[in-house]
């Protein structure tokens, strides 16, 4: 795969778009390696419709940047990780977070495992399972992009007062949630914790 990256992309093709997007300098090398690998794998596995380095950065990284400070301390669980955005991107932007990626499709799961190693985050756990099969510990933050799952279906994945970060169209929160301010394209919901007196 690494050889394909060298022939498919000019060296450093993602560097300038990452810098222009305002990505912190410390996160750029890992994000470059992830995006290079994604470009190479996308020739055989449908991972993204973004075909140029600038398009990949805008679609997969730019829209995730405002969510980096929204993730709470503790485990981040990304549901339906697919091409690595937002879960792996957040792991690279926030190396302080333990991250678990859930992806039931085997080829995408294989890509994510390789991408975590290439981006120097081999500690990111990549599980080949659906959200309703997850038996791990509750997360402080759950992220979802590209899946139309209602917040009620994701509540069991969160710890008390957990954060749910949804990318894409807004969803009705329903009872038990409170919405907090966030950026366009990002919906931040917190579990409403009843305080008994």
């Amino acid at each position: 795969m690494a050889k394909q990256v060298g022939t498919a992309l000019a060296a450093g093709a993602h560097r300038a778009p990452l810098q222009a997007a305002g990505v912190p300098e410390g996160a750029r090398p890992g994000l470059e390696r992830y995006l290079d690998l994604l470009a190479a794998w996308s020739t055989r596995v449908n991972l993204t419709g973004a075909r140029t380095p600038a398009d990949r950065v805008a679609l997969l990284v730019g829209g995730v940047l405002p969510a980096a400070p929204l993730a709470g301390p503790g485990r981040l669980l990304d549901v339906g990780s697919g091409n690595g955005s937002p879960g792996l991107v957040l792991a690279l932007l926030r190396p302080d977070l333990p991250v678990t990626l859930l992806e039931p499709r085997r080829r995408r799961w294989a890509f994510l495992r390789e991408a975590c190693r290439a981006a120097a985050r081999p500690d990111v756990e990549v599980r080949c399972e659906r959200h309703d099969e997850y038996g791990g510990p509750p997360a402080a933050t759950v992220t979802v992009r590209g899946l139309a799952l209602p917040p009620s279906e994701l509540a069991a994945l969160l710890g008390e007062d957990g954060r749910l970060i949804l990318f894409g169209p807004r969803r009705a929160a329903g009872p038990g949630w409170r919405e907090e301010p966030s950026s366009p394209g990002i919906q931040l919901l917190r579990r409403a914790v009843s305080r008994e007196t």
Side-chain angles (χ1 to χ4, degrees), residues 30-107:
L31 284 166
E32 277 188 65
R33 290 188 296 271
Y34 151 66
L35 292 168
D36 287 349
L37 189 69
L38 181 114
W41 275 63
S42 287
T43 62
R44 292 185 290 141
V45 179
N46 182 19
L47 295 170
T48 181
R51 298 292 175 229
T52 68
D55 288 346
R56 281 188 286 276
V57 170
L59 180 66
L60 303 172
V61 179
V64 176
L65 274 171
L70 301 178
R75 178 160 306 281
L76 182 141
L77 180 65
D78 185 49
V79 175
S81 298
N83 62 22
S85 179
L88 179 54
V89 173
L90 286 168
L92 296 170
L93 292 169
R94 293 278 309 271
D96 60 305
L97 295 177
V99 175
T100 299
L101 308 177
L102 299 181
E103 176 50 57
R105 293 167 290 187
R106 295 208 57 86
R107 293 175 79 184

